[in-house]
Amino acid sequence: MKLTRRQAVVGAVAGAVGAGGIYELVDQLTGGTPKRAAAAAVPFREQHLLDGIRVVRSNGIEVLVPPLHHEVVTGRVTASASDVRQAQGELESLLTRLDQDYAPSPAGLGVTVAWGLPYFQRLVPAQMQRLLPHDRRANKPVLIDTRRFPSDPPDTRLESNDVAFLLRSDTRAHILDAEQRLRESKLFEFTSIRRGFAGGGFEGATSLPKKMALAAQIPGADLIPETSELFLGFTSTQKAGMGPGPIANFETLGYVDFRGSDYFRHGTHMHLSHIHEDVEAWYINFEFDERVATAFRPNLQVKQDTQTVRQGPKDVSSVTAVRRDYRSSGRIGHSAAIQTTSRLLSDVVAADGTVFPKGTAIPVRADFNTLDNPFAWSERMAEVGVTPAAGVHFVVFNPTGDDFHRNRLAMDGVLPGGKIPFKPRAREQGFNSVLSTTHRQNYLVPPRRHRAFPLAEL
Ligand code: HEM
């Protein structure tokens, strides 16, 4: 097959940096692991929360610094229903050894094990019927079938993996070690491997997304701001825009009925999707002010080239505000539209007495940029593109599957109380005109104590 000039160049780069391909560039481009004290990190009851996350200020706004490297391994369970109890013990020992070898922080390794509906339906159906928590607000189970959303292309693949392992660390070797141990366990047939990176130039250095996009010759890479946390130029991990602590746990906001058992308390819901980003179109077709209007909300005045835009509790958009802005501008902003479902509408006192004020964010996002096209590896070779492509492996934790669906619908203009009609991926529909989702699936993340083959022991 005749390679394009870009494939040749990128192939050469990948060749130069060995099998790990383009991602080995990350270490070379970052000068290896940032020297961070591996402070003793505490393993939380929750699997999705990492200890030791740094907070920096960008444009005077508190921002959470994500781990540098990310990977998701999806798989199919090899055990049959009669062997699953045995497999449970083997996986828990493997995970316990990882816990002993790596602190649960960016300096060590964050491991989150999430289980898909196919696992529960095939290997523990009776236990699932009895114990899968129920979402009172939606009158549905907390783990629901994955669906396509209005702005999804018709060929977005709804996946049916049994399990997904989210691996996060500042040291890529820690992730590759965990991947290798999972592979050697023979407990899973890998269905895909998804790799990526996050991390910005918060201290003024050229950011990783910028360096990687340039190295891979992504069209538009030269237009990405030098220190930007993400390909599309805006910081996406400001503290106020991320659910604090246990807010995305099943139990915290009272949406969930545990049906008389604490088995899944401290668990949460995870959504995983892959999204292609048209970086060139974003910077060429959208002036800065329109990028702000698209990413945040219309009519928002922001100084040219600002990357971190305050989205505190007082900046949150209500349905009325989104509709008013739409009437005056004909468009919706990504954050503002989603905020109609992703922020607390009033103060909430959690079961443990913690007060979450009105405007507090709920979802805990763990998304990361990628050059996978769409995957670094897949059992379906058609899903392993030769040419790197800019994108995001989108990972988010919500109190329930329905809560995620509400966020994602709002992103398309389907707000609580009624939708704002847009043609799919219209320019006025937030980010969507430069995004296209290729894959998605919902998962349940059990609490750490039940992370291996949940319900198999019952
Ligand atoms: C490539 C795709 C995406 C990009 C580049 C992106 C980028 C951003 C940015 C820049 C923000 C503002 C961050 C901040 O205020 O700290 C944001 C907020 C957010 N995004 Fe996205 N996003 C993407 C896809 C998605 C998707 C698919 C969802 C699913 C629902 C989503 C959910 C959210 C949520 C919940 C917030 C916080 C809203 C709030 O409460 O303020 N994003 N995103």
Side-chain angles (χ1 to χ4, degrees):
M1 177 178 75
K2 188 157 170 0
L3 294 184
T4 63
R5 186 184 162 302
R6 180 161 163 256
Q7 284 174 328
V9 171
V10 171
V13 170
V17 293
I22 201 102
Y23 294 109
E24 290 203 13
L25 267 179
V26 173
D27 282 345
Q28 295 183 22
L29 292 174
T30 56
T33 311
K35 297 289 167 279
R36 284 194 196 143
V42 182
F44 297 122
R45 294 171 297 193
E46 298 84 357
Q47 287 194 81
H48 63 290
L49 301 179
L50 281 186
D51 194 8
I53 296 283
R54 280 196 314 142
V55 178
V56 298
R57 281 191 176 276
S58 168
N59 192 23
I61 297 160
E62 286 192 307
V63 171
L64 306 176
V65 178
L68 212 46
H69 298 280
H70 293 65
E71 178 169 313
V72 175
V73 174
T74 61
R76 191 180 305 110
V77 169
T78 54
S80 64
S82 54
D83 309 336
V84 73
R85 189 81 182 72
Q86 162 81 21
Q88 183 183 52
E90 290 173 26
L91 179 58
E92 187 48 41
S93 320
L94 186 159
L95 295 169
T96 303
R97 285 192 297 279
L98 280 174
D99 292 345
Q100 287 153 359
D101 295 346
Y102 303 110
S105 70
L109 174 71
V111 179
T112 306
V113 192
W115 298 86
L117 260 178
Y119 160 76
F120 291 103
Q121 289 165 338
R122 190 173 80 254
L123 292 162
V124 288
Q127 299 95 317
M128 176 185 81
Q129 287 310 322
R130 227 164 5 92
L131 292 169
L132 191 62
H134 193 72
D135 179 343
R136 294 189 188 93
R137 184 179 62 168
N139 192 18
K140 293 174 185 167
V142 291
L143 179 59
I144 50 181
D145 264 327
T146 313
R147 56 160 290 173
R148 285 189 188 82
F149 292 92
S151 65
D152 281 351
D155 59 358
T156 298
R157 187 158 81 82
L158 305 182
E159 301 182 84
S160 51
N161 296 300
D162 286 339
V163 68
F165 292 86
L166 170 64
L167 308 171
R168 297 178 275 183
S169 177
D170 286 336
T171 306
R172 207 165 72 86
H174 296 178
I175 290 178
L176 295 178
D177 176 26
E179 177 200 313
Q180 190 56 20
R181 293 189 203 189
L182 288 169
R183 191 190 303 280
E184 285 162 2
S185 75
K186 303 258 181 292
L187 291 168
F188 308 99
E189 284 162 7
F190 285 13
T191 53
S192 79
I193 298 175
R194 308 161 196 213
R195 296 196 171 112
F197 42 82
F202 292 114
E203 277 85 20
T206 302
S207 74
L208 199 47
K210 174 74 175 181
K211 288 178 180 172
M212 293 299 288
L214 287 172
Q217 299 204 333
I218 295 294
D222 53 322
L223 302 169
I224 298 172
E226 202 62 27
T227 60
S228 166
E229 180 183 29
L230 285 177
F231 289 146
L232 298 192
F234 293 114
T235 304
S236 100
T237 56
Q238 72 176 266
K239 199 168 176 200
M242 293 285 234
I247 197 169
N249 290 16
F250 289 137
E251 71 276 2
T252 306
L253 296 178
Y255 299 165
V256 171
D257 170 3
F258 287 96
R259 307 167 66 197
S261 156
D262 278 349
Y263 192 94
F264 285 111
R265 200 170 281 278
H266 311 119
T268 186
H269 177 275
M270 181 180 99
H271 184 82
L272 170 67
S273 60
H274 170 262
I275 307 168
H276 276 311
E277 295 177 305
D278 187 339
V279 171
E280 191 171 40
W282 176 241
Y283 289 107
I284 299 225
N285 303 344
F286 291 71
E287 290 301 318
F288 178 76
D289 293 347
E290 190 181 359
R291 292 201 292 273
V292 170
T294 301
F296 297 95
R297 71 173 170 81
N299 315 322
L300 180 63
Q301 302 311 315
V302 168
K303 199 161 114 312
Q304 194 69 22
D305 298 334
T306 299
Q307 292 178 30
T308 306
V309 176
R310 197 187 65 241
Q311 296 288 297
K314 301 235 170 340
D315 308 303
V316 170
S317 290
S318 63
V319 169
T320 312
V322 172
R323 288 190 179 287
R324 185 190 57 237
D325 286 344
Y326 172 69
R327 280 192 299 278
S328 65
S329 68
R331 60 178 341 117
I332 59 171
H334 176 75
S335 274
I338 294 173
Q339 285 164 358
T340 61
T341 62
S342 68
R343 299 288 184 121
L344 293 179
L345 298 175
S346 57
D347 294 0
V348 170
V349 182
D352 65 359
T354 308
V355 178
F356 295 102
K358 177 183 177 190
T360 300
I362 300 166
V364 177
R365 282 165 291 131
D367 49 304
F368 51 97
N369 269 146
T370 186
L371 294 171
D372 291 351
N373 189 2
F375 301 148
W377 179 87
S378 170
E379 63 178 354
R380 301 162 180 241
M381 290 322 288
E383 293 178 338
V384 186
V386 177
T387 308
V392 164
H393 288 304
F394 187 78
V395 177
V396 65
F397 303 102
N398 286 75
T400 70
D402 172 75
D403 193 61
F404 167 73
H405 284 198
R406 289 166 187 246
N407 295 163
R408 190 56 189 78
L409 286 166
M411 177 176 160
D412 288 355
V414 183
L415 309 179
K419 76 177 183 188
I420 298 178
F422 287 104
K423 279 208 309 327
R425 293 182 300 289
R427 186 186 180 93
E428 299 73 20
Q429 191 190 39
F431 270 134
N432 293 318
S433 66
V434 296
L435 306 180
S436 70
T437 302
T438 66
H439 295 73
R440 54 171 80 254
Q441 185 175 355
N442 290 334
Y443 295 86
L444 183 150
V445 178
R448 188 175 300 281
R449 64 187 182 280
H450 294 307
R451 60 187 169 178
F453 293 91
L455 302 175
E457 76 279 16
L458 301 179

